[in-house]
């Protein structure tokens, strides 16, 4: 679950990381009122998920209430577009923050290092720009530290990193505490990534998190129901919402946009298991087609879930044929077959040509059910993919 | 020989009376796994229908049975607790089937369970065909033999193994390492064990997009087992960037986890990468032919 | 720092350990008002540090407001005496709590095991009585578990203990969570001991901490200023307060009561270092006298501290002679000598015959200062103790 | 030989520019300790007057000097951090002078610093007379010789050592293990090292009331070194129950930590317990006479 900047900063404040003074606003009136009551220079930051909002015109500066209101009216409702986000993202709210006098900008993040099985801290004195760019042009400027979760964080780690990364002296006192708080957030809230870029040193000696990028592990969200709630309020990802709505795991469904130069994505896919799900969409590609989606019904799926998965995939109008690919382990073939028959017996689904491949646990029973309903299943994944691509082309 | 698991390994089931635990206990017993008991708090002193004793705690189970292996079927929030309990009781290999354990629980568990090998979580388990199955794989598709197999996915493993078996390639041990970002045993950990297993004469490494476990595996193969024939596979090669596909770990973010990087690494290690699972037996036969030539 | 029951329960609630409903009261009026507003059966528990308050008549039961007021008037101001506390302790406040229907009583505690260097958990199904008695009569009924601080607490530990100690089934669900919260308290608040005795299982299936015994490590108190404050409000130990008042560590001063069958405690002692301080009081005893106190001026003491230590020890009227025993390491002999001379030059101290033994760092300079002021120091600890005992006897 | 510390041990000082750190650095240098540098964050790149380099971090210091030993002079709240920093940098023996470190910090530190010996906290340090002093002891009272000494107290150590030296008993190594409830190195840890040190022909164990370290020491002596002459001492024998005397660990609570229990345990191990420090040389001479008879 990716958080918006204002949500990330909410978590920052919970663990004691200093953030700029300011207010979160969803209307231009709120912005006017706030700036009127707090004279000074303010930054209006569009709250969107996409990167590059600055270049897209999503950040403005206001010196009085009137200007604040005008700019807020301009921003709220605007659709920001960037290279990474050609479709754009609508601005629904703003973060109004004090304009700080920047003496220096640093970068700090903590992520999971899968190979080391440890959290890894990255620090560089070159804050304010994309860290991948820094990694490319000046890799030695990025200092890393792997924290042992058994020992946890202790301030010497922050001191070592600050010295190694040559952070300006003004950071020295505050940095170990900021990093400690960031590690607390990372572990307690179960973050895949926490990033402060830039961590600003102001001219008056304060160290402040000017931006906040936080991505939480969906599996750990249950520990923080209030934070999990944020996701429901503004689901970052329509696919995730759709998956959860029918009882799948958040990341068990993903819809793929058409890509220039590739075949149109007209084949719906359903498989059991993430690996087979990926294999199935790859097989569609290998057969010269395009998978419209990835859908993993998980282990031990019941008929109802299969039925709803079918409905979800065919709700995408582009889907002209469906390939269901099941290799039973926990999942029982008879349950899947039942789900397919049920799905197609109702009037509430859009029916498309269907290819079923069913093997493994209870395959025999499943195949019997399908045979009774008049389906002729295919034997292999390759065969199924080829057949589905063919059917999709025929249906166009 | 096989790795990690043999015919005599004494196995307990954590969550033996739960729905999944009970179901797979019977399947494992049917396969011939030496299941000596199980654990369900509050049901200590009873036995399941097939006669295996149930204990309240892993410690009680280990004390009474001498079990060294455990397979875990518990809800995600109890996953870390189950692993720590196994470790404290002296279990040396724990297979964690549970899907959805928070990554940060696993970070802590991995850092504090020295001396216990963890397979998974979110994995299909491990099988040494003809000897023992500690997992949820459909045993009948496997066949005893000399090909070692490691995979991040469950069902894809079945797909590949099914093909191997049909093509006449039996398996020494197949390990499903799991699809989560933080898992107990990586490709490299398995490769290290396979490297010194004389029974294993060839390997299949079935990776997927996300992370760099495949790149690490390729580097290990290049340095330590250049002479053992290995065939690779990467699932999710047609996936666009930034989409998380089922496995919490299967995502291309930025420049890491791309199939291009993985295929390149395998290539540099002399490992051919199959475009589709059905190509694997052929590539394996070719590699074996070259190796013995 | 030992906490009173109501303070311990305050911490219990912070970590989520269930405690009985009720109120803390310092006047009988408060008790009347509370019981009037909350009809039912209530227990009035005297808030004292001493053990055995029940037997001493410090716990009463009230079924209505009038009775509550009457009993509270009786208890507040009463001096409770027990075998361990012959001098008694005045009741200054009460904890008024719901009278719970007890189905079962268990015992659980966590303490520091010095030898194992780990927290050790003790659990027995025989709650409600002194655990040392249980240990004597039925040692197998007490189950122990050593927690690895690197791994921390996890619920299996509580499950294992509950089964091993044969806690009634009603505890099973709640116990692992209660123990987890108790461990959190133990580590986060730095407790030497946390004890729930009894941990009650009620007839309606609740698991409640009926009593709370918490002893915190003084060295960790700075992490919880609000809790450290409790100690200032009601210093549990007059010696500790006196020590802190002159800038010593909390446990660097202890006054000893006279004991029947032993020589009267008439020799004041001051030494540098805890070990030498203990050795000095032992030496006084070996010489046939009685040390009135232990006082360790610590390492590197300055003249001012020596002076104030002298004043503190002689503020005890029983002290007829003083033995100052310094073996300089960090502590410098000249500083100690200066302090002695200063202490005795003022009119604000009660002067008693003084024996000084001074060796180690800067001993020569110190001895010179003392010689100039007319003192003749002794050479050894044994000699000094003997001389001081003699002087004290002569002065009586 | 000596234990833990010899002439060549390379030592750094954590907190070298602080008041106590600077003072004792000079005293240790004067004694002949091989101090190769020190650490004060923010003063990296400078040198102290006597020429030793100052580094920003322990890692920098170890990288530059190859130090293996460290002595720590930091405020109590920074004690655990200093120990972790030393451990992470590869220090193998850390002497922690700091008094007042929270016991629970030490619980965590001890559990997570495998491979590094910690002496203290709240201790006077360690000295191998004539070779090296890593501590705050007054070096001139010590004399090179064959008596090993371990003590929970600082100044009492000086008192006893002074007596030993005056009586002609030089010392191999003296370790002040510290007076806190949780310390890195216990009597037993020291005894284990002394047991295999041929230079150490006799031992003095100076305990005090509180805890059961003396009982554990007695049990170890009885089982593992019954033939090495040992003399014991217990400080605070005249203390009443329930009073904490200076050291956080020095308290008789309930039935644990009583002098009676300790004296009895020593007696059962054949270890005579001196009533006063001044008796120790005589008892030692007697034990040595019996041992060689």
């Amino acid at each position: 679950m990716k958080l918006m900047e204002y949500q990330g900063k909410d978590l920052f404040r919970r663990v004691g990381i200093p953030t700029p003074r300011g207010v979160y606003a969803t209307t231009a009136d709120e912005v006017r009122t706030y700036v009127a009551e707090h004279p000074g220079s303010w930054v209006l930051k569009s709250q969107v998920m996409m990167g590059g909002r600055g270049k897209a015109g999503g950040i403005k500066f206001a010196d009085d209430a009137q200007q604040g209101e005008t700019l807020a009216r301009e921003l709220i409702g605007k659709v920001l577009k960037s290279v990474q986000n050609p479709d754009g993202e609508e601005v629904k709210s703003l973060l109004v923050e004090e304009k700080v006098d920047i003496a220096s900008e640093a970068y700090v993040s903590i992520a999971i290092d899968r190979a080391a099985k440890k959290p890894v801290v990255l620090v560089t004195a070159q804050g304010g720009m994309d860290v991948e760019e820094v990694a490319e042009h000046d890799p030695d400027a990025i200092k890393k530290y792997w924290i042992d979760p058994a020992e946890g964080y202790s301030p010497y780690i922050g001191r070592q990193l600050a010295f190694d990364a040559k952070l300006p002296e003004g950071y020295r006192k505050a940095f170990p505490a900021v990093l400690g708080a960031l590690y607390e957030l990372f572990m307690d809230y179960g973050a895949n990534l926490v990033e402060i870029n830039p961590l600003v040193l102001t001219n008056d000696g304060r160290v402040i998190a000017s931006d906040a990028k936080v991505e939480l592990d969906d599996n750990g969200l249950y520990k923080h129901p209030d934070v999990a709630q944020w996701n429901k309020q503004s689901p970052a990802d329509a696919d995730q919402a759709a998956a959860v709505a029918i009882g799948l795991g958040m990341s068990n469904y993903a819809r793929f946009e058409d890509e220039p130069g590739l075949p149109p994505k007209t084949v719906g896919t359903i498989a059991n298991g993430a690996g087979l799900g990926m294999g199935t969409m790859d097989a569609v590609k290998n057969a010269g087609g395009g998978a419209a989606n990835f859908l993993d019904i998980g282990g031990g799926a019941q008929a109802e879930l299969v039925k709803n998965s079918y409905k979800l995939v065919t709700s995408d109008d582009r889907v002209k044929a469906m390939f269901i690919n099941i290799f039973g382990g926990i999942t029982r073939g008879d349950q899947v077959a039942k789900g397919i028959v049920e799905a197609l017996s109702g009037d509430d689904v859009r029916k498309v040509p269907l290819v079923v491949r069913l093997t493994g646990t209870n395959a025999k029973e499943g195949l019997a059910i399908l045979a009774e309903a008049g389906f002729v299943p295919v034997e292999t994944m390759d065969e199924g993919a080829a057949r589905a691509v063919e059917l999709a082309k025929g249906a166009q | 020989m096989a790795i990690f698991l043999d015919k005599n390994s004494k196995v307990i089931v954590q969550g033996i009376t739960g729905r999944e635990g009970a179901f797979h206990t019977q399947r494992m017993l049917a396969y011939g796994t030496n299941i000596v008991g199980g654990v369900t708090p509050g049901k200590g002193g009873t036995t399941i229908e097939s006669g295996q004793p149930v204990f309240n705690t892993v410690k009680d189970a280990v004390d009474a049975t001498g079990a060294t292996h455990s397979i875990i079927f518990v809800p995600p929030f109890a996953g870390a607790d189950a692993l720590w309990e196994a470790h404290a009781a002296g279990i040396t290999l724990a297979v964690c089937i549970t899907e959805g354990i928070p990554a940060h629980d696993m970070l802590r568990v991995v850092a504090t369970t020295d001396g216990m090998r963890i397979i998974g979580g979110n994995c299909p388990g491990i099988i040494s065909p003809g000897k023992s199955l500690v997992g949820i794989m459909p045993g009948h598709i496997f066949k005893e033999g000399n090909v070692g197999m490691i995979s991040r996915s469950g069902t894809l493993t079945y797909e590949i193994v099914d093909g191997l078996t049909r093509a006449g390639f039996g398996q020494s041990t197949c390990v499903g390492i799991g699809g989560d970002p933080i898992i107990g045993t990586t490709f490299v950990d398995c490769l290290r064990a396979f490297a010194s297993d004389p029974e294993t004469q060839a390997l299949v490494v079935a990776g997927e997009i996300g992370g760099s476990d495949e790149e690490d595996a390729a580097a290990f193969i290049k340095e330590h087992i250049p002479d053992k024939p290995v065939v690779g596979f990467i699932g999710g090669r047609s996936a666009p960037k930034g989409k998380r596909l089922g496995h919490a770990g299967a995502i291309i973010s930025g420049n890491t986890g791309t199939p291009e990087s993985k295929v390149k690494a395998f290539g540099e290690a002399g490992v051919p990468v199959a475009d589709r699972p059905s190509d694997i037996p052929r590539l394996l036969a070719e590699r074996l032919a070259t190796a013995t030539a």
Side-chain angles (χ1 to χ4, degrees), chain A, chain B:
Chain A
M1 170 183 174
K2 283 185 185 173
L3 302 188
M4 292 225 199
E5 178 192 9
Y6 76 96
Q7 296 169 325
K9 284 183 172 168
D10 181 330
L11 297 188
F12 279 11
R13 285 186 291 272
R14 293 188 194 187
V15 295
I17 298 171
T19 57
R21 281 178 305 130
V23 73
Y24 173 68
T26 54
T27 67
D29 282 354
E30 288 171 285
V31 175
R32 190 198 54 228
T33 308
Y34 183 83
V35 176
E37 284 170 4
H38 303 83
S41 292
W42 296 93
V43 192
L44 276 56
K45 302 162 91 175
S46 299
Q47 296 301 289
V48 286
M49 284 294 174
M50 61 180 256
R53 66 178 168 181
K55 284 183 195 157
I59 294 180
K60 303 281 178 190
F61 298 87
D63 289 322
D64 61 48
Q66 183 51 50
Q67 195 183 7
E69 184 187 346
T70 308
L71 289 171
R73 248 180 240 296
E74 199 176 292
L75 286 173
I76 296 174
K78 184 174 177 178
V79 174
L80 301 183
K81 293 185 186 183
S82 69
V83 183
Q84 304 100 308
N85 253 51
D87 285 349
E89 184 179 347
E90 190 189 337
V91 179
K92 291 181 174 161
S93 61
L94 302 174
L95 190 53
V96 182
E97 285 188 340
E98 62 176 316
K99 201 178 151 193
V100 292
D101 277 342
I102 296 173
S104 195
E105 295 182 310
Y107 168 98
V108 55
S109 71
I110 309 178
I112 293 178
D113 183 326
R114 295 164 55 152
K117 301 172 192 170
K118 283 179 182 169
V120 59
V121 183
L122 265 66
V123 177
T124 166
Q126 300 179 31
M129 56 174 119
D130 188 0
V131 72
E132 295 196 355
E133 253 172 63
V134 179
E136 208 162 295
H137 297 112
D138 191 4
D140 290 346
I142 299 177
K143 299 301 170 185
K144 297 186 181 184
Y145 193 96
W146 286 263
I147 296 180
D148 174 2
E151 180 187 315
Y153 176 82
S154 198
Y156 78 87
I157 296 169
R159 285 200 305 274
Q160 182 78 49
L161 282 165
F163 284 118
D164 284 356
K166 299 192 170 56
L167 297 195
E169 209 177 325
Y171 283 102
R172 295 270 169 81
K173 280 261 154 84
F175 187 76
V178 167
L179 182 54
L182 199 62
Y183 182 74
E184 187 189 331
L185 194 166
F186 179 84
M187 290 302 287
D188 288 0
Y189 287 86
N192 294 322
L193 172 71
V194 287
E195 182 184 278
I196 307 178
N197 188 21
L199 178 68
V200 163
L201 172 66
T202 66
N203 281 322
D204 56 350
R206 292 180 296 155
V207 171
I208 299 180
S210 184
D211 199 354
K213 190 168 168 186
V214 177
E215 196 187 318
L216 301 180
D217 174 19
D218 296 333
N219 288 338
L221 281 181
Y222 74 90
K223 296 181 185 179
H224 298 279
D226 60 326
V227 175
Q229 193 60 28
W230 292 349
N231 204 32
K232 285 184 192 153
Q233 287 162 6
S234 58
D237 188 316
D239 296 351
Q240 291 189 352
V244 170
I246 66 166
L248 288 172
M250 259 189 192
S251 56
N252 280 27
Y253 171 68
R255 183 183 176 278
F256 306 134
E257 297 295 332
D258 283 346
E259 291 168 84
L262 292 180
K265 308 221 158 153
T266 55
V267 179
T269 70
I270 293 177
N272 64 319
L276 195 62
M278 289 186 248
T280 304
M281 54 189 240
D282 291 349
V284 169
K285 188 184 181 189
N286 285 337
N293 72 289
F294 162 91
L295 191 149
D296 164 17
I297 55 170
Q302 303 293 309
E304 180 75 10
L305 183 62
V306 177
K307 179 180 161 182
N308 287 327
S309 296
Y310 184 97
K311 284 169 73 172
L312 173 59
V313 173
T314 54
S315 69
D316 180 348
D317 286 338
R318 301 175 307 164
V319 172
K320 306 296 181 216
M322 174 79 82
F323 179 23
I324 300 182
N325 185 17
I326 304 296
F327 204 122
I330 301 188
T331 306
R332 292 155 218 181
D334 53 337
Q335 289 290 337
V336 175
K338 256 190 239 171
I340 295 170
V341 173
E342 276 172 35
L344 296 179
S345 68
D347 291 335
D348 53 343
V349 293
R350 184 169 74 83
K351 294 182 190 85
V352 296
L354 172 67
V355 179
V356 181
R357 186 272 191 127
L358 191 61
T359 186
T361 309
N362 291 11
K364 214 168 59 179
E365 294 85 342
L367 291 173
I369 292 170
L370 290 177
E372 200 175 319
F375 293 98
V376 181
V378 294
E379 284 275 318
T380 68
M381 176 157 76
D382 293 345
E383 192 188 336
R387 184 95 187 88
V389 170
E390 202 177 290
L391 286 168
K393 285 184 181 157
Q396 267 166 331
Chain B
M1 247 181 65
I3 65 166
F4 301 158
L5 178 69
D6 67 31
K7 198 154 188 61
N8 302 317
S9 305
K10 289 185 178 180
V11 181
I12 55 164
V13 179
Q14 289 179 248
I16 194 168
T17 62
R19 196 170 65 94
E20 294 297 330
F23 176 73
H24 288 288
T25 296
Q26 291 314 312
R27 288 174 58 114
M28 287 187 279
L29 282 168
Y31 193 78
T33 305
N34 184 18
I35 293 184
V36 295
V39 177
T40 296
K43 298 209 174 157
T46 64
T47 55
I48 59 172
E49 255 181 65
S50 47
Q52 286 72 24
V54 180
F55 300 91
N56 285 321
T57 67
V58 179
K59 184 173 177 297
D60 292 353
V62 168
D63 287 353
T65 66
T68 52
H69 287 47
S70 177
I71 178 163
I72 294 172
F73 295 93
V74 300
F77 71 84
D81 185 54
L83 285 162
W84 273 317
E85 180 173 10
H87 178 253
I91 290 290
T92 55
L93 186 144
V95 172
C96 185
I97 303 299
T98 304
E99 180 177 354
I101 298 175
H104 297 69
D105 287 5
M106 287 303 294
L107 282 173
R108 277 185 288 249
V109 167
V110 166
T112 53
T113 50
D114 275 1
M116 180 173 84
R117 173 170 301 287
I118 297 172
I119 312 274
N122 191 17
C123 82
I126 172 171
I127 181 169
S128 295
K131 303 185 178 87
S132 188
L133 160 64
V134 180
I136 58 173
M137 295 123 154
H140 68 274
I141 62 169
F142 294 84
K143 178 186 155 187
E144 195 162 359
N146 302 318
V147 176
M149 156 108 191
I150 38 185
S151 170
R152 269 164 73 180
S153 153
T155 42
L156 192 68
T157 305
Y158 314 160
E159 186 75 45
I160 294 171
V161 164
D162 196 41
L164 289 174
T165 297
R166 284 172 198 269
F169 291 108
Q171 305 92 37
S172 55
T173 301
C174 300
V175 187
I177 63 170
D180 280 352
I182 300 297
I183 49 178
T185 297
T186 60
F187 280 155
V188 168
D189 297 326
C190 294
L191 288 171
R192 197 171 285 124
F194 274 128
S196 53
D197 176 33
E199 193 181 330
T200 302
Q201 290 164 10
L203 288 163
V204 175
V205 180
E208 62 191 30
I209 55 165
S212 61
D213 213 14
E214 291 76 10
E215 286 86 337
D216 298 338
F220 184 90
I221 291 165
K222 193 174 174 183
E223 188 172 344
H224 296 101
I225 42 172
D227 298 331
K228 219 167 245 200
V230 184
V231 172
F233 180 80
I234 309 292
R237 286 168 73 172
S238 65
K241 284 193 178 189
K243 293 276 182 182
R244 194 175 295 279
L245 302 181
H247 285 159
I251 183 168
I252 304 168
S253 44
N255 297 323
T256 60
T258 64
E260 292 75 22
S261 156
K262 295 172 192 300
V263 170
K264 181 163 168 265
F266 275 135
E268 285 168 2
V271 173
V273 179
D275 282 333
R276 56 198 89 203
S278 55
D279 285 346
I280 292 175
R282 181 180 52 81
L283 289 172
L284 198 61
E286 287 174 15
R287 285 286 288 122
L288 278 165
T290 326
T292 50

